[in-house]
Amino acid sequence: MILTLGHTKGGVGKSTLALNIAIERLLAGVETLLVDGDPRQTSISRAIGIRAEAGLVPAVPCIVLDDAKAMRHQIGLL
Ligand SMILES: Nc1ncnc2c1ncn2[C@@H]1O[C@H](COP(=O)(O)OP(=O)(O)OP(=O)(O)O)[C@@H](O)[C@H]1O
Ligand SMILES: [Mg+2]
């Protein structure tokens, strides 16, 4: 299943929701990969770093694909 979270507005909670859904899916035992499409790639990377430093589980696998064409291609391959 591919779940896309997007919005035309900034600051509405996309990154927060994406990370929390990923954590919940991992806790439920579902193989999960979080793909950050934000070219500024700030909040998710920061949150994952903070969680890792704090030793929080589950660790969240995350990649950044901030080019739409490349994202479409890579997601297809994945
Ligand atoms: N459900 C919520 N309740 C209260 N605050 C929230 C909630 N979801 C997100 N926030 C807060 O709102 C702010 C923006 O959240 P977030 O960074 O996830 O939004 P975004 O849509 O990814 O923003 P951007 O467009 O800048 O990437 C953050 O400070 C976050 O902690
Ligand atoms: Mg964001």
Side-chain angles (χ1 to χ4, degrees):
M1 178 175 68
I2 298 174
L3 180 60
T4 303
L5 295 174
H7 202 286
T8 52
K9 290 180 73 175
V12 293
K14 301 178 294 290
S15 297
T16 303
L17 191 56
L19 181 58
N20 280 285
I21 289 173
I23 291 168
E24 288 302 316
R25 293 287 76 196
L26 287 160
L27 286 172
V30 179
E31 196 175 23
T32 302
L33 175 65
L34 183 53
V35 180
D36 191 354
D38 187 343
R40 295 164 299 160
Q41 53 186 266
T42 49
S43 52
I44 288 181
S45 300
R46 195 176 308 144
I48 285 177
I50 291 169
R51 285 176 53 79
E53 278 177 22
L56 293 178
V57 292
V60 179
C62 180
I63 60 171
V64 176
L65 291 170
D66 59 7
D67 174 81
K69 195 173 172 186
M71 179 191 279
R72 202 173 300 121
H73 181 64
Q74 287 297 320
I75 293 296
L77 293 175
L78 288 164

